[in-house]
Amino acid sequence: KGQFFRAHAFYNVALNKCPKDDEKQLSTIYLNLSQTHLHLEHLKEAIEASTSSIGYNPDNGRAYLARAE
């Protein structure tokens, strides 16, 4: 689980550095963050992150799959 904790921290830093108008990149970061939450068994946070991913890019099919997991 250590690698997922590190990845989680990395994606949070990326969220803070990503320009707020770069919606596709934000969608990708939130999608990856949702996967780290899932592996850490933080299910509510995983759903919230995948929902944010969809909010930034409704065409991101992977985000819908992640939210369904």
Side-chain angles (χ1 to χ4, degrees), residues 12-68:
N12 277 312
V13 169
L15 279 176
N16 290 325
K17 291 186 176 189
C18 186
K20 299 305 175 200
D21 61 344
D22 190 348
E23 294 182 349
K24 285 198 174 200
Q25 187 63 37
L26 285 166
S27 178
T28 299
I29 295 168
Y30 273 111
L31 175 60
N32 292 336
L33 186 60
S34 76
Q35 294 303 298
T36 64
H37 281 301
L38 188 63
H39 286 283
L40 294 170
E41 299 179 5
H42 302 156
L43 302 182
K44 180 180 177 193
E45 292 87 349
I47 292 168
E48 290 170 354
S50 58
T51 299
S52 292
S53 178
I54 292 166
Y56 281 107
N57 182 6
D59 296 327
N60 188 345
R62 289 180 54 214
Y64 290 97
L65 291 173
R67 189 169 67 180

